[in-house]
Amino acid sequence: MKSIQATFEINGHEVTLSSAPNRTLLEVLRQDLGLTGAKDACGGEGECGACTVIMDGKAVNSCLVFIGQVQGCSIETIEGLSGNGDLHPLQRAFVEVGAVQCGYCTPGVIMASKALLNENPHPSDEDIREGLSGNLCRCTGYVKIVDAVRIAAEQQPRR
Amino acid sequence: MTEETLTLGKSELRKDAWDKVTGAAQYVADIPLTDLCHAVIVRSPLHYGRILGINKSAAQNIPGVLRVLAAEDIPGNKIFGPLLQDQPSLAIDIVRHLGEPVAIVIADNLETARMASELVKVEYEPLEPVFDPGQSLKPGGPRLHPEGNLAAQFDIQDGDIEAGFAEADVVLENTFSVPRISPAYMEPENSLARWNEDGLITVWVSSQHPFTDQVFIADALDLPVEKVQVKSAVIGGAFGGKEDSSLAILAALSAWAVRGAVRIVNTRNESFLAHPKRHPALIKMKLGAKRDGTLVALRAMSHMDTGAYASYGPAVGIIFTETLAGSYRIPNVHFETFVAYTNSPLSGAMRGFGSPQSHFALESMLDMLAAELDMHPLALRRKNMLRPGDKMFTGVVVNDTANSLPICLDQAEAIIKRFSQIEPAPGKTVGVGMALAAQSMGLGAKVPDDSTHRLEWSPDGDVYVHLGSPDMGQGLAMAAEQVTAEALGLPYEVVKTIPLDTLTSPNGNVTCASRMTYMVGNALIDAADRLIQQLLDEAARMMNFPREQLSYQVGRVVCPDGQKVDAAEIASRVADDGRTLQCESTFSFPYPEETTPQHLPIGMPHVIFCFGAQIVRVEVDPEIGNVDVTHLVAIHDVGRVISKPAVEGQIEGAVATGLGYALYEEMPLKEHQQWVDSFTEYLIPTTKDVPLNYEIIILEVPEASGPYGAKGIGEIPLVPTAPAVANAVYDAVGVRVKSLPLTPEKLIKI
Amino acid sequence: MLEFDFLTPNRLDESTAILEETGGCILAGGTDLIPKMRNDLFFAPILVDLSNIDELSFIEEKDDQIVIGALTTHQAIAESALLKSTNPALVTAAGTVGCVQTRNRGTLGGNIANASPAADSVPPLLVYDAQIRLLNKAGERTMPLTEFLVGPGMTKLESGELIHSVSFSQLQGAWGGAFQKLGVRNGMAIAVVSVAAAIVLDASGKVSDTRLALGSVASTVVRSPKAESALIGHEPTPEVVSRAAEACAEDISPISDVRSTAEYRRHAAIVLARRVLEQAAAEARGRLV
């Protein structure tokens, strides 16, 4: 197995790394880059959304992306969201509404929410449910998660 | 409640939420350690078999592999178990379930450990497995444990069951079945351990009871308990499933064996196969009533499948049995419960702990009886509900919190009316159903249940809560901080929880049994009172005032001259003496001898109960049997709200889990005798599977023994959900489904 | 996960050359392949990643033909205005694939090549008589999609070949198309049964052309000739549609698995077939002048 080189942007910074090709973006984020916000909850099957990151503007499961596929892409993880210490409006809403319990799904849910709001700044509740249907949460029953995303969206300026 | 509070009942923000929304929170899998090794467990490919030999050499010779361990390498006790000592940490001679740990491979990186784990050659003689608990108890089958296949048995009677049925005008008999359920917390089990030069072993866990882990680890490694330090990492959900200790023992064993640091993280498949589930059960129930609806007799014979090892099965059997009569007065009962070993994955603690199973049967039966008697299901429940002062079949006298039951039923009546008036979507058939629920609090009589917690006033003015039980994600720390802030008259912001460490934290006992707010709250109120006394003692000494002339006021000591001294200043002066201003308090779950019946087995009875009701409206597609839960109202009594969002969060999450139980969750054997073991096939609700119309009604009927009147809410909200859905489905399409989940196949005639 | 070499061609001709030379396995979105490889259900010594072949990601109209590039994502299909107006069933189906994370990565070509009987995008393509265009170093060939799909996980794709695109003719006149899917739960649903239908009415309101395709009820997504012939030449009254839907039972052979039983699938297929045909017929009637 020949290792491969991948150059990509992560939270605004370019990185180049070499890796065995059979590793996923999730593994590289967690093991090589120390970005442990994205989680593995389903064993890399794309069934839980806990590893959701934004890849070229779109929400993806980082467990379903081989590292070679990231070449030239721009990746945004939860660690990049609150850059200078200030919480992103979504993060703030999750804290304020009480949408966080065990928190294991939270980074993935927030990244999926961010991708949703990028494309649809003022989603209906149905849009929010559709946009987050790939993110499993066992603690909250989703009620306060949907509330938090709605509140964060309402705080954005209307176009 | 109109009385002014500082923080109680308010929507405070969880202090752990910042780290959780930024990705900074460290779960066991996220903790960075240098020179970290990884361990992978070699698991049984058989449901049942004899181990003829384990050949480690091929794996051992792989570069990067440090050790391969089997049962023989465990220096101390090779067997553990929370209630019965029946579970080998690594299999000894026999494997009793698919996925049972047989050996463990430790390597300097995860890939190598994985690869080498496939090279551990274990030779087995396959044995014929048994999966049905009833079958398991019949003579002639395999004997899974030396003492036989019965892990526990309960035979509880009250009144005269035969006389009861003799006076009944109507007798119904039915058999109900409920499936195996995965707690499906998002964070799979894991543990991290480090052997330190000084001989101390430090173990990070995602566990509901680090202090028991500590004991099991010390026992397995033959170390004194004080040589084992267990630290609670952030816990990614538990729901009962993390009362099990297996990975903590194996991580510690690995670190001890290689004299280094080792992490074990289960995959989701491993979590499905090898960690506790909610018990599947078969419940035969016979209910007798008078023509006017008065319940006169209830008999139940139940078989629960506890799987290969008992885990908490015997205790689950207790709460199951104790809740078979639900929230009702029934004068004559006879309950026989058998908790049997099989070769299934082990069943143990999971949210509800026996109560979801009993309630599905009972609350379904009540609606069937109501139909038989041509009574409204509400009227039947109202007629028979427990009232304060009633003696339950265990002999326990119900306290005043049973006053919440008529409120639940009155509210339910209005909601049912409202739901019934909503027009169904085109082509859909509509139904409304409800169920009541009772959930016990606490571990049960004669089970030691002391919970110790400590408050510390730091020189910087903050008050630290040394919580002796872990917050598994539900928000226990916030409740502890709010109670403390209220008791000390301080702002919530200055009260902070210190993560649990068995070397420095008091022992608060296992986080479980809907009793954490109750135990922790009571202990901390007392600790706060005594901390104030201590503060005044110190202040008197320092400032040379007579003690009785000092008083305490919101974080300050008020002196006779009117001068006010910050507690922080006193704490600081105490610190200068090399001491700490702190106070510890233990609360013991009360089982007063004069009111607690003593004739029952250990763990029985439970004496404090939570009550609630749920009402659901479903739309059923009559042609294809699909059930859509469109509306749901959950009414729950919490005694006193400490944190409103946290109470709502408990209800919202539990209801979703209850809906999964009602509609599609199950973990059956599929083709080739493999268990459903992934989220591809084990489906839990998504955002698109919870009702759009959701309402929560919180009742506050004070529990006299609770902190500020509070009691538990962790488990009960998932108990009435499934029977309420089943009753609504019956109302919609006239089909009574007696086995969960209510899949479309069961609702239509093909 | 087993080991493999990872190749990333930058151009289409380079891709076919590499495929020819190495016999490697194509990696498109990876949403099916990566979990299969992780679970050791699939092994390839060489993976050829087509991430850089942008020219295979397109949706276009050409001479009355709609052409969709193999690397077009489900999300792009779900959001396509052109497809919404020409093959709404496909748009609906693409919108029900997994969840947004899956739709952002998963591709049409991958969905077809994976050859699952439950593939959501296939029934709406079959009811448009879609053709599939395959490319290798030497040239290309085109065949009906029905012919391409052989069995679960099996297709006529040969070593060295890649899927270039899928094309179908626009329906003309008074047409209607629909897709419905039944899952165990609402979110991230895998089809227990899925059905797509297309109906074209003549000026008198009689069915001049129709196709019905069903997923998860046979070893591939299948057409139902029996149902189709029961409709041709008739006005799609409720009775006629019901009869046609019943007839589809003869063209399917469902199995029982962890998601459902054969009996239930057979029953639900008939119900869904009727509903989808009714929906398509109603839409077609709306286009009658």
Side-chain angles (χ1 to χ4, degrees), chain C residues 2-3 7 15 21 28 70 96 103 127 147 157 165 182 188-189 197 207 218 224 231 235:
Chain C
L2 293 165
E3 302 192 346
L7 305 174
S15 308
E21 190 189 322
T96 72
R103 296 195 290 274
V127 301
E147 221 170 87
L157 192 74
S165 57
L182 194 61
M188 282 193 279
V207 176
S224 173
L231 283 165
E235 198 180 318

Side-chain angles (χ1 to χ4, degrees), chain C residues 41-122:
Chain C
L41 297 172
F42 182 82
F43 170 65
I46 294 170
L47 276 192
V48 181
D49 166 38
L50 299 185
S51 294
N52 293 345
I53 315 300
D54 293 342
E55 60 199 287
L56 290 185
S57 174
F58 62 88
I59 302 168
E60 64 183 27
E61 190 175 7
K62 222 164 119 186
D63 312 327
D64 266 356
Q65 289 277 304
I66 307 294
V67 191
I68 309 173
L71 293 182
T72 308
T73 63
H74 300 298
Q75 194 63 22
I77 291 172
E79 289 169 2
S80 162
L82 173 62
L83 289 174
K84 199 164 209 150
S85 64
T86 53
N87 190 343
L90 181 60
V91 170
T92 307
T96 72
V97 173
C99 56
V100 69
Q101 288 92 327
T102 323
R103 296 195 290 274
N104 283 336
R105 293 291 297 164
T107 65
L108 181 65
N111 199 223
I112 293 169
N114 190 46
S116 161
D120 290 317
S121 51
V122 174

Side-chain angles (χ1 to χ4, degrees), chain B residues 10 52 99 118 193 307 353 619 708:
Chain B
K10 305 217 164 131
L52 302 176
E118 288 169 20
F353 210 85
E619 291 188 354
Y708 303 107

Side-chain angles (χ1 to χ4, degrees), chain B residues 568-590:
Chain B
E569 198 184 320
I570 293 161
S572 172
R573 288 218 240 158
V574 171
D576 290 344
D577 292 350
R579 293 177 299 125
T580 308
L581 188 55
Q582 60 182 0
C583 191
E584 200 166 275
S585 176
T586 300
F587 182 76
S588 305
F589 201 100

